[in-house]
Every structure is written in structure tokens, then in C-alpha cells.
Amino acid sequence: MHKKQLRIFILAAIIITSALILFFLLTINRSNNEIEALKEEQRIDTIEQLPPPAPVIQYGMNIDSLSIIEDKVKKNENFTSILQKYNVSKEVINQLITESKDKFKVSKIQAGKSYEVLRSKKDSVARGFIYYGDPTQTIVFKTTPLEVLVDQKATDTIERRAGGMITSSLYETLQQINAPAVLAYELSKIFARKVDFFKIQHGDNFKIIFDEVTLEGQPLNVKRIHSVCFEHDNKKYYAFNFGKNGKDSFYDEEGNSLQQGGFLKSPLKFFRISSKFTKRRFHPVQKVFKAHLGTDYAAPTGTPIMSVADGVVTEAKFAVFNGNYVKIKHNKTHSTQYLHMSKIAKGMKPGTKVKQGQVIGYVGSTGLASGPHVCFRFWENGKQIDGTKVKTIKGDPVKKSDMKQFKALKEEMLAGLDDISITEEPQAKATDKSQNQFSK
């Protein structure tokens, strides 16, 4: 075979081979495309056969058709003004107020609390208003159909034994051991006649056994304190709750009452005396010496002011020098007055009956005042006297007939307190007392 013929043969072989390879690749690609197309057809058929997704239902409302608006109650807002913002008619609002009367009072809605509005995407009218006030409660107001629901979360009650070493303040120590801050007030109330809580210092410590209400494992409130050992200035003070019929009554280890009757020592829970009762004082505003027939308790603006005893309000108004003030008659002999309030508590007016410890107003600096405080004045038989020197009434000790039972309780509680270590993490022991503390 000549060289020229050989070259032609080889070239023809290459062309034929290439054509065969190209044909093979095209055939495979077409097959793959046909397979993918078939799969896509099958997938579409499958999707068409699946039922549509179920609508999201919350509190009986189809959330898919609603837009959700999250907000907080603003100052001076109320139930009516909020719903009117979202196009709910006054008639429907009044019906909701009537419907909720036995479930939740709309007057309890507070500024700063969170809420949600479920608004129709079609006409922008609120179909639902969900209020988150109490951590254990969610209140649902439905406009279509009209209905009011109370979603109540279950709480648990555990017996807790805790101890803490005070390094800065009692409040901060309670935070460090994850205990309710309200215990600071409760302890100051129990040991009011024994311990000056404005003078507690580094190294003071406490051990306490109490029932704690929890929500989803988190501390919520204190239900009952059983016993306490508070060590202050190297001296131990004990308190044992020997109350009956659900009433708290605290006694020391000898059975003497820790309760006090009569008048509270001050109208504030926590305070600093900035000016005492005196017949001669240099007035910081008027710049003259004059009598100061009251006691000034300095505290931050907004601090609650309490009535020092049961009584009836005789005055609750504003005056140029006194600012906002409330005056209370407690009996035929004694009256008290509370001056310079930032605001008077709701409901305070002449004739209103108040209880000892009830909030009657809030610390401020209205009237003739140089800073936030309450000027506390005390009358006895029509004459102003120093309210800090009025004696409190000591409670009765444990009855002799109950002493055996009290001693048995005391020994049990002492053993429990001794088992608490203030250097370790506090322990919580679950009991069979689980219940809904906030159920209506």
C-alpha cells in the first residue's frame, strides 16, 4: 500500500471513530435529559397530589390571614385607646370589657407591659389583642367572634434552703444566689426591731428556709418563709414562723414575738433621714432658721410612700408649700401627714380607708423642697410631735399551751438551718406542694 493511500485510510478511520463517539455522547445526554424530565414530571405530579399545608391556628384564630404587631403599653394608654388605634369600634370594645369582667379587669393593664395585636391583612382591623401582664397569665381578647380567654401557666412550689455571705449588700447577695429580691424586704420586716439593715456590713450572713414559687424552673415569688438565721455584727438572730391558719407570725428562739404593732417606724421601706424633727433648723430653700416639725426621709423620686397605720384620708391635694400631700386620721388621738409627693396614689381622697403599709403616694420634690424626699409629720392630741419617737407595740409571745408544739418546730427548723452552708450553692428541694399560686 502506498504511503498516500495509508494516510487516507488512517484519516477516514479517525473521522469514523470521532463520529461514533459523538453519536454515543449525544445519545447518552438525550437519555439523561429524558430521565430528568420524567423525574420532574413525577415530582410535579407528587406535589399536586399532596394536600395544602394546614393553617396556623393560635387561640382559635388563623394566624396566616393576620399580621402580628408587637408593642408595649405606653404612658397614659389604656385598653380602649389601644384597640381604637387598630380600628376596633367602641361598641365591640365595650362588649369585650363586659365579657372580661369576671376574668380580667382591663383597668389592670399597665404601662410598660407587652402586648400583641393580630390585625386582618384585608381591612387592618384588629381581630385579637393579646396582653402579657402577669408572667403566669396571657389574656386574649378576640373581636371576631367576640371572646375573652385566660391562658394560665402552671407554677410549682418548692421548699428552698439558701445561705449567703454579704459582701456588698443584701440585695446583691440575693441576686448572686438566684433568690427572689423580695426577700430583702421580707427580712428587713421580720428583723425590724433587731437589725438595722442600713448598717449591715461585709461578713454578715444569713440562712433561710422558705417556699418559693417557680415558673418553668425560674424563681418567681416567695410564698412563705419558715425560718431564718441572720448573723449581724457577730450576733445571730433567729426567726421561726409559728403562724396559724395561713397567717405568718415570727418568734425568736425563746418564743418572744418579733412582730410589732402600732405605727410603722417610717413611711418608706428604705430611706435616709435627711432632716430630723427640731424646733430650730436652717431651711435650705427659704434660707432662714425656723422650726421643722417633721422628719424628712430622702429617697429616689417614685419610691412608694406607705401609711404608717390604718386610718381614713382627710386630705389629698396640692398646696404651694406642701406640694402633693396626703393627711390621714388614725384614731381620736393620732394623725399623720406626708408631703412633697411626686404624685398621690390612685384612689386617695377624703373618706378613703387605708391599711397600715398601703401605698398612698410616691416620693418627689413638689412644693417647697430642695430634693426628692417625704416630709413625715405626726400629730398626737392635735400637737405635732417627733414621729420617730412614737413607741411601737410589741406582739404577744407564744402561748403557754402552744409552747411544746413551738419547741418541737424550733428544733426541726434549727436542724434544717444548721445543714445549710453559706459557702456552697443553695439547694432547692422539690416538695409535693406544687400548685398554681396565681389561679383565680
Side-chain angles (χ1 to χ4, degrees):
M1 184 180 291
H2 298 292
K3 290 183 178 180
K4 184 177 181 179
Q5 292 175 328
L6 181 60
R7 285 197 296 270
I8 292 172
F9 176 78
I10 293 172
L11 181 60
I14 291 172
I15 292 172
I16 294 170
T17 302
S18 298
L20 290 172
I21 292 173
L22 180 60
F23 175 77
F24 179 73
L25 291 176
L26 289 173
T27 301
I28 292 175
N29 185 57
R30 186 178 66 183
S31 298
N32 287 338
N33 288 340
E34 290 175 351
I35 292 172
E36 290 299 322
L38 182 60
K39 287 182 177 179
E40 180 66 16
E41 289 178 4
Q42 292 174 342
R43 187 180 70 83
I44 292 173
D45 289 341
T46 302
I47 291 174
E48 290 177 348
Q49 294 172 9
L50 290 175
V56 178
I57 304 298
Q58 183 178 347
Y59 300 119
M61 292 178 283
N62 184 350
I63 303 301
D64 293 340
S65 63
L66 304 171
S67 59
I68 301 176
I69 301 170
E70 297 180 356
D71 206 344
K72 290 186 177 181
V73 180
K74 297 176 178 59
K75 188 177 180 180
N76 297 324
E77 277 191 329
N78 56 36
F79 181 73
T80 299
S81 63
I82 293 172
L83 289 188
Q84 284 181 329
K85 281 197 308 184
Y86 297 100
N87 305 314
V88 180
S89 69
K90 190 66 182 291
E91 181 183 0
V92 171
I93 293 173
N94 289 335
Q95 289 176 340
L96 286 171
I97 292 173
T98 301
E99 179 70 19
S100 66
K101 190 172 294 184
D102 297 329
K103 300 175 182 178
F104 177 79
K105 293 183 178 180
V106 298
S107 59
K108 291 184 177 181
I109 290 177
Q110 299 176 346
K113 298 293 185 180
S114 299
Y115 69 82
E116 289 181 356
V117 172
L118 306 181
R119 188 167 63 178
S120 170
K121 293 178 181 178
K122 293 181 178 180
D123 56 17
S124 297
V125 176
R127 295 289 186 263
F129 172 71
I130 303 176
Y131 176 67
Y132 302 98
D134 190 305
T136 66
Q137 276 188 343
T138 300
I139 314 299
V140 182
F141 298 86
K142 296 166 60 177
T143 62
T144 310
L146 194 137
E147 188 178 11
V148 178
L149 305 173
V150 179
D151 184 10
Q152 187 78 47
K153 295 181 180 178
T155 60
D156 295 310
T157 299
I158 63 171
E159 181 187 89
R160 184 167 174 185
R161 303 184 176 201
M165 177 73 70
I166 298 173
T167 55
S168 54
S169 71
L170 176 57
Y171 177 80
E172 290 182 2
T173 302
L174 290 168
Q175 284 186 314
Q176 291 167 3
I177 64 173
N178 195 32
V182 70
L183 282 176
Y185 169 63
E186 295 298 334
L187 290 176
S188 67
K189 188 168 65 172
I190 291 171
F191 294 110
R193 294 174 54 240
K194 298 286 186 179
V195 178
D196 186 345
F197 278 80
F198 292 97
K199 294 182 180 179
I200 57 176
Q201 54 200 359
H202 180 91
D204 288 353
N205 60 79
F206 62 89
K207 299 177 181 180
I208 183 169
I209 301 175
F210 64 100
D211 288 342
E212 180 179 64
V213 180
T214 64
L215 177 64
E216 297 175 351
Q218 296 301 312
L220 185 65
N221 205 347
V222 173
K223 184 177 180 182
R224 193 167 196 255
I225 294 175
H226 296 290
S227 58
V228 188
C229 175
F230 197 99
E231 185 172 350
H232 168 62
D233 199 19
N234 296 318
K235 184 176 181 180
K236 292 183 177 180
Y237 299 92
Y238 288 92
F240 304 97
N241 194 343
F242 192 60
K244 296 183 178 181
N245 301 320
K247 184 179 179 180
D248 291 332
S249 295
F250 292 94
Y251 301 86
D252 65 16
E253 59 270 40
E254 302 299 327
N256 298 311
S257 175
L258 295 175
Q259 312 300 119
Q260 59 183 28
F263 297 91
L264 297 178
K265 283 188 175 181
S266 80
L268 304 179
K269 293 179 182 178
F270 297 100
F271 57 86
R272 173 180 61 85
I273 294 179
S274 55
S275 183
K276 296 181 179 180
F277 181 97
T278 178
K279 295 294 180 66
R280 180 176 170 81
R281 181 194 73 154
F282 184 76
H283 197 284
V285 178
Q286 296 177 316
K287 306 298 182 183
V288 294
F289 283 95
K290 58 187 298 186
H292 183 245
L293 304 181
T295 303
D296 288 349
Y297 294 92
T301 298
T303 300
I305 300 170
M306 305 176 295
S307 173
V308 296
D310 294 355
V312 177
V313 175
T314 57
E315 296 178 51
K317 59 185 179 180
F318 176 85
V320 175
F321 296 116
N322 294 346
N324 294 318
Y325 75 94
V326 172
K327 190 171 184 179
I328 298 172
K329 183 177 180 63
H330 302 288
N331 50 45
K332 293 181 179 180
T333 305
H334 301 103
S335 295
T336 55
Q337 190 179 27
Y338 313 77
L339 282 59
H340 309 304
M341 297 176 173
S342 58
K343 66 176 181 178
I344 297 170
K346 187 176 181 180
M348 293 299 114
K349 59 184 179 181
T352 299
K353 293 182 179 180
V354 295
K355 293 289 185 181
Q356 184 180 63
Q358 182 177 339
V359 175
I360 58 172
Y362 303 88
V363 169
S365 52
T366 57
L368 201 62
S370 58
H373 73 284
V374 57
C375 177
F376 173 63
R377 296 182 177 181
F378 199 105
W379 280 265
E380 187 174 75
N381 293 318
K383 180 181 178 182
Q384 283 189 260
I385 64 172
D386 186 349
T388 63
K389 294 182 179 180
V390 176
K391 294 182 179 180
T392 57
I393 303 170
K394 189 176 180 180
D396 295 327
V398 174
K399 295 180 180 178
K400 290 182 179 180
S401 58
D402 293 330
M403 186 57 72
K404 184 177 180 180
Q405 184 183 359
F406 170 76
K407 287 183 177 180
L409 173 71
K410 182 189 73 172
E411 293 304 318
E412 179 184 344
M413 292 293 101
L414 279 173
L417 291 170
D418 288 342
D419 286 342
I420 299 173
S421 173
I422 61 173
T423 58
E424 298 177 359
E425 289 295 321
Q427 298 178 346
K429 177 183 177 183
T431 69
D432 59 354
K433 301 176 184 178
S434 297
Q435 62 180 28
N436 193 330
Q437 169 72 358
F438 296 89
S439 59
K440 301 296 182 185

